[in-house]
């Protein structure tokens, strides 16, 4: 794709920025915006672009024309073609719906209009769908996602059951308090609560400039290392808002003797793949592989030759040549080596990951929220992105910022205003209703029975006991002795209550019966 978009750009200076061009084209695809409408859509949505939208629209138009000329499609084209075919051919649509009779959609808060159109076409008006999403983690609007597609699903589908999962099992209460404080600045309800009861307070540390910050981050990591066991760097991440921040911090970590995790393809493997890619037909590629396996003394070449044989066996139809093999290796084969160390990632790259200790760096106005966020919707997404970054930490979280960056005075991110840190206590957890007062002997009996149940349940399901039921929730159950699933759901949430009601309510009802005798 980068080569194709460069060709489409022709003599335009935009051709030197293929990555940015593809981001814009992918956004347009995701939003189902045609080339002739791109500039208008950018203006309507107040999108910040790296160049004149009209010029990008011209390259986008030529890119689509070049794909048609070369008879190639990308992933978005495949999705759109399926949607169009299902809309225009009812027999085909029914066949697809018969094949996919039950739909499960994960990370649904990040659906874009094109993906939603595919989901809606396959659903075909049916209500048998299971959708999972977290509105607080909707962070891909810049790439075409539209959170409202997820938020409005219950009203659109009808007769839906909405289950909320407010419990956070990963993060300490201090980290949850800090993340909840940031998320609340979107002015939306935030129901997350910690199930853990202990952890290190969150710290916010300032530095004179970005150089001092990078060196300070290295010092923070060395201070953490003695407490983290034999492989301390494997449980650590440094998270930043933009890729530009990674270079300076990476150099500082390496200068301080701290390894940085890298993933790369060995040069000799790359060279061998290039040799294989020079063979322009299936026959030539097969001959190269056979000759290499028989004659080569180079381990890298022999490894690639083995991959060629696997590729030829897997891809028996379509275009099969050296270039297709090189693309297959990129998408399929695991030829990369990983150097362990501290992970240095952007906030977006860290989504779905977790570490024991996390440093969130560059928490300043202009970076957090990013200066490209102009509209209220974009600023809200930046706030959610900060929430995602903070909740990657399990036990320890440090947030750093520089008073000067790139020679200009900077200020601490407004998202940190009033953040619960070492200078303050975590904000209170949402209170749980007390259903009744129970005498101490009865409460102690129930508490002991519930502890035994939790221990046995954890053993049966190979879980940590806190994942079955936190001590705080268990204590509250023992004190209030709920007698119905609804009352239990007030403590545990509806989904957890439903799954444990049979065991837990047996214990609480027995305790109430004992107390009345």
């Amino acid at each position: 794709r980068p080569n194709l978009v460069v060709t489409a750009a022709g003599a335009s200076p935009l051709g030197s920025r293929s990555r940015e061009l593809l981001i814009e084209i992918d956004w347009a695809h995701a939003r189902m915006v045609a080339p002739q409408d791109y500039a208008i859509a950018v203006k309507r949505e107040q999108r910040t672009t790296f160049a004149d939208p009209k010029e990008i629209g011209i390259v986008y138009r030529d890119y689509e024309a070049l794909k048609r000329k070369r008879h190639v499609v990308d992933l978005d084209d495949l999705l759109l073609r399926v949607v169009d075919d299902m809309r225009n051919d009812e027999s085909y649509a029914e066949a697809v719906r018969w094949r996919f009779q039950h739909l499960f959609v994960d990370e649904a808060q990040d659906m874009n209009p094109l993906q939603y159109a595919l989901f809606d076409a396959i659903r075909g008006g049916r209500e048998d769908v299971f959708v999972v999403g977290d509105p607080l983690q909707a962070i891909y609007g810049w790439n075409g996602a539209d959170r409202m597609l997820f938020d409005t699903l219950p009203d659109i589908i009808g007769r839906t059951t909405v289950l909320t999962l407010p419990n956070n099992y990963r993060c300490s209460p201090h980290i949850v308090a800090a993340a909840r404080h940031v998320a609340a600045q979107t002015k939306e309800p935030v129901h997350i609560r910690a199930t853990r009861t202990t952890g290190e307070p969150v710290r916010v540390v300032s530095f004179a400039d970005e150089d001092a910050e990078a060196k300070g981050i290295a010092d923070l990591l060395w201070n953490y290392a003695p407490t983290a066991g034999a492989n301390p760097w494997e449980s650590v991440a440094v998270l930043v808002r933009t890729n530009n921040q990674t270079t300076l911090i990476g150099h500082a970590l390496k200068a301080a003797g701290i390894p940085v995790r890298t993933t790369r393809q060995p040069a000799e493997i790359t060279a061998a793949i290039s040799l294989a890619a020079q063979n322009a037909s299936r026959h030539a590629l097969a001959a190269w592989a056979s000759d290499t396996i028989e004659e080569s003394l180079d381990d890298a070449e022999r490894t690639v030759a083995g991959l060629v044989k696997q590729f030829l066996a897997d891809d028996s139809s379509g275009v099969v040549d050296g270039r297709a093999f090189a693309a297959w290796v990129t998408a399929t084969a695991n030829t990369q080596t990983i150097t362990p160390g501290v992970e240095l990632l952007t906030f977006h790259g860290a989504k779905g990951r977790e570490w024991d200790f996390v440093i969130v760096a560059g928490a300043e106005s202009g970076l957090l929220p990013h200066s490209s966020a102009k509209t209220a919707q974009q600023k809200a997404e930046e706030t959610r992105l900060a929430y995602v970054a903070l909740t990657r930490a399990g036990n320890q979280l440090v947030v750093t910022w520089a008073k000067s960056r790139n020679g200009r005075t900077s200020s601490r991110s407004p998202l940190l205003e009033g953040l619960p840190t070492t200078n303050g206590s975590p904000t209170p957890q949402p209170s749980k209703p007390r259903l009744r007062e129970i005498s101490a002997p009865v409460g102690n009996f129930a508490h002991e029975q519930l502890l035994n149940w939790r221990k046995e349940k954890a053993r049966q399901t190979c879980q940590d006991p806190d994942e079955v039921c936190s001590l705080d929730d268990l204590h509250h159950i023992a004190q209030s002795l709920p007698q119905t699933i609804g009352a239990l759901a007030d403590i545990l949430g509806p989904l957890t209550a439903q799954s444990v009601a049979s065991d837990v309510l047996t214990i609480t009802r027995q305790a109430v019966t004992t107390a009345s005798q």
Side-chain angles (χ1 to χ4, degrees):
R1 293 180 69 216
N3 291 337
L4 199 66
V5 79
V6 169
T7 302
S12 169
L14 298 186
S16 63
R17 306 185 68 174
S18 60
R19 180 177 177 275
E20 290 95 332
L21 279 171
L22 285 172
I23 288 174
E24 293 307 307
I25 290 172
D26 287 344
W27 175 83
H29 284 164
R31 291 279 178 170
M32 304 178 76
V33 174
Q36 64 271 21
D37 300 324
Y38 170 80
I40 297 173
V42 166
K43 183 178 181 179
R44 181 180 64 246
E45 301 196 23
Q46 300 182 51
R47 180 174 175 81
T48 301
T49 59
F50 73 97
D52 185 339
K54 293 181 180 179
E55 294 181 12
I56 296 175
I58 292 171
V59 177
Y60 176 22
R61 178 200 64 195
D62 294 343
Y63 173 77
E64 296 299 308
L66 188 59
K67 284 193 300 181
R68 289 191 295 271
K69 181 179 180 180
R70 295 190 177 183
H71 302 289
V72 296
V73 295
D74 53 28
L75 177 60
D76 290 333
D77 294 323
L78 294 177
L79 300 185
L80 185 58
R81 289 189 178 200
V82 171
V83 171
D84 286 343
D85 287 346
M86 291 188 70
R87 287 174 175 174
N88 297 321
D89 187 336
E90 188 59 30
S91 296
Y92 172 65
E94 288 302 319
V96 172
R97 291 167 191 150
W98 178 84
R99 182 180 180 187
F100 302 105
Q101 297 180 34
H102 310 285
L103 298 181
F104 172 81
V105 183
D106 198 9
E107 299 288 356
Q109 77 280 348
D110 289 324
M111 276 194 298
N112 60 48
L114 176 56
Q115 294 166 341
Y116 181 85
L118 178 64
F119 161 73
D120 197 48
I122 297 176
R123 184 174 74 88
R126 294 173 296 169
E127 297 173 348
D128 187 13
V129 297
F130 192 100
V131 179
V132 178
D134 181 359
L136 285 177
Q137 297 195 51
I139 60 173
Y140 288 104
W142 62 274
N143 203 26
D146 183 353
R147 200 191 90 174
M148 291 302 296
L149 296 172
F150 171 72
D151 290 345
T152 57
L153 272 179
D155 296 328
I156 292 173
I157 295 177
R159 295 200 306 171
T160 58
T161 300
V162 179
L163 302 175
T164 59
L165 305 175
N167 291 342
N168 181 301
Y169 296 97
R170 176 200 306 134
C171 305
S172 73
H174 298 80
I175 294 171
V176 169
R180 189 169 58 242
H181 172 83
V182 169
Q185 296 183 53
T186 63
K187 308 302 182 183
E188 299 176 27
V190 181
H191 303 297
I192 181 177
R193 62 173 180 248
T195 60
R196 294 173 51 189
T197 57
T198 61
E200 296 286 336
V202 176
R203 297 170 59 194
V204 176
V205 183
S206 63
F207 296 94
D209 55 29
E210 65 267 35
D211 291 310
E213 180 189 42
K215 294 174 183 176
I217 289 171
D219 291 339
L220 288 168
L221 293 177
W222 273 120
N223 289 336
Y224 162 81
T227 69
N231 300 301
W233 310 130
E234 296 180 6
S235 60
V236 177
V238 179
L239 307 183
V240 293
R241 175 61 183 85
T242 68
N243 278 307
N244 292 337
Q245 297 167 260
T246 61
T247 302
L248 183 61
I249 295 174
H251 287 329
L253 298 188
K254 292 176 182 177
I258 298 174
V260 177
R261 180 184 173 96
T262 58
T263 302
R264 66 180 182 84
Q265 186 164 273
E268 58 272 19
I269 292 289
T270 302
I273 292 172
S274 179
L275 285 174
Q278 295 173 14
N279 294 277
S281 69
R282 170 187 284 274
H283 176 74
L285 194 59
W288 179 88
S290 298
D291 291 345
T292 300
I293 291 173
E294 290 292 330
E295 301 172 4
S296 178
L297 300 178
D298 188 306
D299 288 340
E301 284 191 0
R302 291 172 60 85
T303 296
V304 172
L307 290 173
V308 167
K309 295 192 70 174
Q310 181 182 343
F311 166 70
L312 294 174
D314 290 347
D315 291 76
S316 57
S317 61
V319 177
V320 180
D321 57 19
R323 289 193 304 174
F325 165 71
W328 176 84
V329 170
T330 301
T332 308
N334 183 17
T335 59
Q336 297 179 327
T337 59
I338 298 175
T339 302
V342 172
E343 296 206 55
L344 181 53
L345 300 168
T346 64
F347 294 172
H348 286 100
K351 186 181 178 185
R353 305 286 303 282
E354 59 183 84
W355 297 268
D356 180 77
F357 178 37
V358 168
I359 297 175
V360 174
E364 302 140 29
S365 295
L367 282 175
L368 191 66
H370 196 269
S371 58
S372 62
K374 305 297 184 184
T375 67
Q377 185 177 0
Q378 290 166 347
K379 291 176 181 178
E381 180 166 310
E382 286 290 310
T383 303
R384 294 193 296 270
L385 185 57
Y387 165 84
V388 168
L390 298 181
T391 52
R392 299 311 91 196
N395 293 318
Q396 296 186 49
L397 172 65
V398 177
V399 182
T400 69
W401 65 283
K403 297 176 182 178
S404 172
R405 187 173 295 275
N406 298 325
R408 298 180 180 178
T409 300
S410 53
S411 58
R412 191 169 75 162
S413 168
L415 298 181
L416 302 183
E417 189 66 34
L419 188 77
T421 64
T422 51
N423 297 321
S425 58
T427 54
Q429 298 290 320
S431 60
K432 299 173 183 176
R434 297 194 67 82
L435 304 181
R436 68 179 79 174
E437 291 296 329
I438 303 298
S439 65
V442 175
N444 291 340
F445 168 80
H447 195 273
E448 182 179 349
Q449 294 296 310
L450 288 166
L451 279 173
N452 291 336
W453 161 79
R454 187 178 84 137
K455 180 179 179 181
E456 180 60 20
K457 188 73 171 179
R459 185 191 66 79
Q460 293 174 355
T461 58
C462 299
Q463 290 179 285
D464 186 277
D466 274 341
E467 295 177 355
V468 175
C469 181
S470 72
L471 283 174
D472 181 55
D473 285 340
L474 187 143
H475 176 72
H476 189 70
I477 294 170
Q479 290 298 306
S480 56
L481 297 182
Q483 300 295 288
T484 66
I485 292 181
L488 186 61
D490 288 337
I491 301 171
L492 299 178
L495 189 61
T496 303
Q498 189 72 37
S499 66
V500 303
S502 177
D503 294 336
V504 172
L505 292 182
T506 297
I507 295 172
T508 58
R509 288 166 181 167
Q510 181 182 0
V512 170
T513 300
T514 301
S516 64
Q517 293 176 347

